[in-house]
Amino acid sequence: MARIVGIAGSTRLASYNGALVQAAAQLAPPGTTVEIATIAGIPLYDADVEKEHGVPAIVTGLKDTIAAAAGLLLVTPEYNASVPGVLKNAIDWLSRPPKDIPRVFGDKPVALLGATPGVGGTRLAQAAWLPVLRALGARLWSGRQLYVAGAADVFGPDGAIVDEKVRRLLAEFIAGFAQFAGEPG
Ligand code: FNR
């Protein structure tokens, strides 16, 4: 059973990106599970804190979860035409100490997804993640692109996808990524 970790870059209760990662988990193909991990509770990165206390337990736990997974699904909001600070902050902590980056991110299959109520579908945010993933040595899956725009009409009040086209595209996306993540690098 291939295990993928899904992380949404929003801690908002009614987050569209949270709903998207939930939907991806539900649509995962047989033989694949998407375990949803949260960035809630990760403190702001502070080098003094790291020096004095080391990497917080909440971060080391998430590092181990990613390291043990076959792939990482990053579901990103878009803030000011780029990545959201909360998710970047989490990734920055997860990259500490640098000598541990290969264990956590090195050659790790990573897929990018994102949802926004706006028209751009998080294109700019997803593009802005590319140099970050490159710096971490991750293996980006570029088999498909999915930009969920107009999220207010895509998700119902309970967070379920009500747009059949997006549901189909998401199912195809997660199936493609699961296959990629399951293949030897
Ligand atoms: C936004 N939002 C936004 N949306 C977008 O498509 N492009 C953008 O550049 C921005 N910029 C932006 C900046 C800031 C500071 C905020 C708070 C919001 C809107 C954003 O997509 C919307 O709030 C989403 O609902 C956030 O994702 P979640 O929380 O629903 O997952």
Side-chain angles (χ1 to χ4, degrees):
M1 173 78 68
R3 194 170 57 81
I4 290 169
V5 180
I7 297 178
S10 170
T11 56
R12 196 168 72 87
L13 219 53
S15 160
Y16 293 123
N17 290 280
L20 191 57
V21 78
Q22 293 280 354
Q26 284 160 17
L27 292 168
T32 301
T33 54
V34 176
E35 178 189 331
I36 295 170
T38 179
I39 59 167
I42 295 181
L44 283 178
Y45 178 74
D46 183 323
D48 291 338
V49 170
E50 184 185 11
K51 195 171 171 191
E52 204 167 323
H53 305 288
V55 175
I58 189 171
V59 176
T60 54
L62 188 50
K63 282 172 62 176
D64 292 345
T65 299
I66 296 170
L72 170 63
L73 182 62
L74 263 192
V75 186
T76 184
E78 179 172 291
Y79 280 5
N80 293 311
S82 188
V83 303
V86 286
L87 185 53
K88 180 63 162 56
N89 177 70
I91 296 291
D92 289 343
W93 260 126
L94 291 165
S95 72
R96 304 299 298 175
K99 67 171 167 26
D100 217 13
I101 291 175
R103 180 181 72 90
V104 179
F105 292 107
D107 210 30
K108 177 70 61 186
V110 176
L112 284 166
L113 268 179
T116 169
V119 296
T122 71
R123 281 169 195 274
L124 294 171
Q126 291 191 39
W129 278 109
L130 300 181
V132 179
L133 297 177
R134 185 185 191 189
L136 297 172
R139 183 153 50 100
L140 177 75
W141 179 62
S142 52
R144 278 181 187 257
Q145 300 174 43
L146 183 50
Y147 305 107
V148 179
D153 298 323
V154 169
F155 298 95
D158 59 353
I161 295 182
V162 295
D163 183 317
E164 287 309 318
K165 185 178 175 199
V166 172
R167 187 203 302 277
R168 178 176 55 78
L169 291 173
L170 180 61
E172 290 170 5
F173 185 98
I174 193 68
F177 180 53
Q179 189 180 349
F180 178 78
E183 287 165 358

